Amino acid sequence: DAKTTQPPSMDCAEGRAANLPCNHSTISGNEYVYWYRQIHSQGPQYIIHGLKNNETNEMASLIITEDRKSSTLILPHATLRDTAVYYCISQYNNNDMRFGAGTRLTVKP
Amino acid sequence: DVKVTQSSRYLVKRTGEKVFLECVQDMDHENMFWYRQDPGLGLRLIYFSYDVKMKEKGDIPEGYSVSREKKERFSLILESASTNQTSMYLCASSRIARSSYEQYFGPGTRLTVT
């Protein structure tokens, strides 16, 4: 079973920030939080990952709470092309990646 | 640019046929993975390999086998296809690195078994 929980769906207006929450209350100290997204009919795409500090790259920002029990993926200026299913995963080695159902984000014009 | 390719995007096979799904990566990654994706069930790990000729079972290996004769190629084999193996099959690869396990996925093969 996936060790994370996410809302099944969210909407966001184009140009606004999309904030996708993830709960990982049972995460252990050496597990990273990874985010992927899957656009329809394509394979999942890596977005970002972090351990305890907040992270930012060209695609998104990841905010991890101090107790590490939850995190938020932020797409600062969502576009229509960001419509996808977003997966939050806690992982500590290569063979422990468990994808749940994810959050279906719909960006609306 | 990172690239994982799969031999077919769509495949239709008959029950009982032997099916080969091929995956090739050009990133010199040590690890390779096969998943299947079904509506409502997310991605489930079938097998993975962390080196040539090495393989490990994932969560749902029954009915499948794999082969990794070369580092860049990882094959998934359905010895006798059944209708419950109709699914989207995704291949992925990753490198061995501390604190960095991101996987790179291929486009997927949608297999239909009739």
Side-chain angles (χ1 to χ4, degrees):
Chain A
D1 290 336
K3 297 179 284 187
T4 61
T5 54
Q6 300 175 253
S9 64
M10 291 181 65
D11 290 342
C12 177
E14 189 178 16
R16 303 297 294 267
N19 297 288
L20 292 94
C22 179
N23 180 289
H24 32 80
S25 56
T26 59
I27 196 169
S28 62
N30 57 353
E31 284 184 318
Y32 287 79
V33 178
Y34 276 77
W35 282 84
Y36 289 77
R37 73 179 183 185
Q38 187 172 23
I39 295 170
H40 182 61
S41 298
Q42 297 182 23
Q45 175 192 25
Y46 164 79
I47 301 173
I48 199 167
H49 74 282
L51 185 62
K52 343 182 234 196
N53 298 323
N54 298 336
E55 302 287 344
T56 295
N57 64 20
E58 64 279 1
M59 288 181 71
S61 295
L62 174 61
I63 308 298
I64 302 174
T65 58
E66 195 167 337
D67 62 9
R68 302 213 323 124
K69 293 187 176 183
S70 65
S71 61
T72 301
L73 179 76
I74 301 172
L75 309 178
H77 304 287
T79 71
L80 299 178
R81 288 181 296 180
D82 291 323
T83 291
V85 178
Y86 288 78
Y87 297 99
C88 167
I89 299 151
S90 60
Q91 179 179 0
Y92 69 89
N93 61 31
N94 276 289
N95 60 335
D96 194 48
M97 189 153 74
R98 297 292 186 266
F99 285 83
T103 296
R104 182 172 298 279
L105 174 69
T106 302
V107 180
K108 298 187 172 179
Chain B
D1 205 13
V2 164
K3 199 151 186 190
V4 178
T5 56
Q6 295 183 228
S7 49
S8 306
R9 287 303 304 272
Y10 300 94
L11 206 54
V12 180
K13 295 291 182 180
R14 293 189 183 274
T15 301
E17 279 192 82
K18 190 168 186 176
V19 182
F20 293 87
L21 302 182
E22 303 283 336
C23 175
V24 177
Q25 50 96 3
D26 65 0
M27 298 159 283
D28 201 36
H29 283 171
E30 294 83 4
N31 303 311
M32 296 188 75
F33 308 81
W34 275 107
Y35 296 86
R36 64 177 281 177
Q37 184 173 29
D38 302 287
L41 297 176
L43 276 76
R44 292 180 290 166
L45 182 64
I46 305 172
Y47 268 97
F48 68 98
S49 168
Y50 51 89
D51 201 352
V52 175
K53 297 193 186 293
M54 306 301 287
K55 61 184 179 184
E56 294 284 343
K57 292 180 180 179
D59 295 330
I60 51 164
E62 297 78 20
Y64 303 94
S65 62
V66 289
S67 172
R68 191 155 180 214
E69 296 296 319
K70 293 185 177 181
K71 190 176 185 181
E72 68 271 18
R73 189 178 298 268
F74 193 34
S75 302
L76 180 70
I77 303 152
L78 287 65
E79 295 288 343
S80 177
S82 63
T83 54
N84 63 13
Q85 292 178 310
T86 291
S87 186
M88 169 71 88
Y89 289 88
L90 290 156
C91 174
S93 71
S94 72
R95 59 194 172 101
I96 292 177
R98 287 185 68 184
S99 80
S100 181
Y101 307 118
E102 59 263 33
Q103 298 191 7
Y104 296 89
F105 285 81
T109 295
R110 187 167 294 282
L111 172 67
T112 302
V113 183
T114 60

